[in-house]
Amino acid sequence: MRHWRSRGAIAWLLWPAGLLFGVVIAVRRFLYKIRIFSSIHPGIPVIVVGNLTAGGSGKTPLVLRIAEILKEHGWKPGIVSRGYGGSAQQPRAATIAADPAEVGDEPILLARRSGCPVWVAPERIAACRALRAENPECNVIVTDDGLQHYALRRDIEICVVDGRGFGNGFLQPAGPLREPRSRLRSVDAVVTQGAPDAQGYKMVLEGDKLVRFTDARDVRPAKSFAGQRVHAVAGVGDPKRFFLQLARFGIKVVPHPFADHHRLRAEDFAFGDSDPVVMTEKDAVKCKRIVAGLQVQFWVFPVSASLDPAFERWLLEKLGGSKAA
């Protein structure tokens, strides 16, 4: 109880800074709106998938599902990302062979799962230009994050809200919000994932299998691990969600949460026993060299986004009516 009281007191102490941050982002957005700050459109439709809170909220699975929907209906999507956690300062293609230390973990996952060209750069418009130059067949761009990156002009804005909601409702640094909650009124669609206080299209992250890290052909039902003790490793926005997903199959979960985009090292797996390790797909892309030298079984738990069918209809109608389209 004392811990939560102290956190609340700190939030209120930082509230004036959050208020100032709110003024800055409001002015910044207004200057982009009246074109004093320039924004650039890449020439083909742009779908931005973002959120209001710091940290992950399910954006990457939603981007994958959107790319899948577009491909099913004849579009040829490309994906753009900031490449958070990577060192690349110039546009780089993120492929399954890329180094996550350079391009980030999520872009490699996006490339592997989507089959689409994926490019990263701190400036999204630079990534868009590079993607189009190398892949002229692409006729729509989906960005993983970037709702607040107004230098890239967009046709469709989608905001994801997960089960954590909006935290204490304060702007950074007093709370988790990048923009005020009122920003939801200006986006084109809200997608909710277990969010009790947000209205929008429903999304559920589903998965029921475990894949052996060292042999992707070895795929087993997650329920076959029921009653077994496993070390669950998650460096994602909401590790608790991952642990609960595994526990629903009757797995005895020993949770090991890390910060989002944490760069895993061999010592992070020094658990002192031979129990198997289960991790998220995003974490798995960072562990190729680590796993090879450890004498335990590593398993990956892939998930996919299941969406309200109305979202697909809305997206295709909206995209067909966009000016860029």
Side-chain angles (χ1 to χ4, degrees):
M1 179 66 73
R2 187 176 300 168
H3 171 68
W4 286 106
R5 284 177 179 171
S6 65
R7 287 184 63 180
I10 292 171
W12 280 107
L13 286 172
L14 293 173
W15 178 76
L19 195 64
L20 178 61
F21 179 71
V23 172
V24 170
I25 60 177
V27 170
R28 176 175 172 271
R29 187 166 176 237
F30 177 72
L31 292 176
Y32 272 110
K33 188 174 182 178
I34 63 175
R35 304 295 175 87
I36 289 179
F37 286 177
S38 63
S39 59
I40 301 173
H41 196 283
I44 57 177
V46 175
I47 303 169
V48 170
V49 178
N51 62 350
L52 297 186
T53 56
S57 59
K59 297 185 297 293
T60 299
L62 178 57
V63 168
L64 286 169
R65 179 60 188 137
I66 288 173
E68 188 177 32
I69 291 170
L70 295 175
K71 290 170 73 174
E72 288 170 355
H73 289 83
W75 291 85
K76 296 180 180 178
I79 299 173
V80 161
S81 170
R82 163 69 178 84
Y84 187 84
S87 60
Q89 296 301 306
Q90 299 299 321
R92 289 284 304 275
T95 66
I96 58 174
D99 185 348
E102 295 181 357
V103 301
D105 45 24
E106 287 166 343
I108 296 176
L109 171 59
L110 287 166
R112 186 172 66 81
R113 287 282 299 270
S114 71
C116 298
V118 179
W119 281 74
V120 304
E123 297 296 325
R124 269 80 165 189
I125 188 61
C128 290
R129 287 169 171 163
L131 186 152
R132 292 202 68 195
E134 293 295 324
N135 304 274
E137 73 281 2
C138 283
N139 54 12
V140 59
I141 290 173
V142 186
T143 75
D144 186 9
D145 208 1
L147 190 62
Q148 292 78 31
H149 190 78
Y150 294 113
L152 175 63
R153 208 175 303 161
R154 66 287 306 266
D155 298 273
I156 299 174
E157 290 185 328
I158 300 170
C159 184
V160 186
V161 182
D162 71 359
R164 295 169 297 169
F166 306 98
N168 60 11
F170 292 165
L171 291 165
Q172 297 177 337
L177 294 181
R178 297 170 170 178
E179 292 185 285
R181 186 173 174 175
S182 58
R183 176 73 166 89
L184 290 179
R185 294 198 293 265
S186 62
V187 301
D188 296 289
V190 176
V191 172
T192 66
Q193 185 203 166
D197 54 350
Q199 299 296 317
Y201 295 104
K202 298 294 187 291
M203 177 175 76
V204 177
L205 297 184
E206 298 178 336
D208 60 2
K209 293 179 175 60
L210 293 179
V211 181
R212 188 190 288 270
F213 190 101
T214 54
D215 185 359
R217 296 168 299 180
D218 189 354
V219 181
R220 303 185 189 180
K223 62 184 180 182
S224 67
F225 287 75
Q228 188 169 353
R229 184 175 181 268
V230 306
H231 294 284
V233 173
V236 295
D238 187 5
K240 183 179 178 181
R241 183 176 63 211
F242 172 63
F243 303 145
L244 289 174
Q245 283 177 311
L246 295 178
R248 290 191 187 103
F249 296 105
I251 299 172
K252 295 180 179 179
V253 175
V254 180
H256 300 278
F258 293 95
D260 196 15
H261 301 283
H262 174 72
R263 188 171 294 179
L264 290 162
R265 299 162 295 181
E267 49 265 40
D268 292 325
F269 299 101
F271 302 135
D273 56 48
S274 59
D275 290 335
V277 176
V278 180
M279 63 179 68
T280 70
E281 282 187 289
K282 191 170 89 167
D283 292 308
V285 302
K286 297 175 286 189
C287 297
K288 288 181 180 179
R289 297 173 184 172
I290 297 173
V291 170
L294 299 177
Q295 302 302 312
V296 295
Q297 286 188 8
F298 282 80
W299 297 85
V300 182
F301 182 63
V303 297
S304 299
S306 176
L307 282 161
D308 182 342
F311 174 84
E312 179 176 340
R313 295 192 295 270
W314 168 84
L315 177 65
L316 295 170
E317 289 175 4
K318 186 76 174 178
L319 185 58
S322 71
K323 292 180 181 179

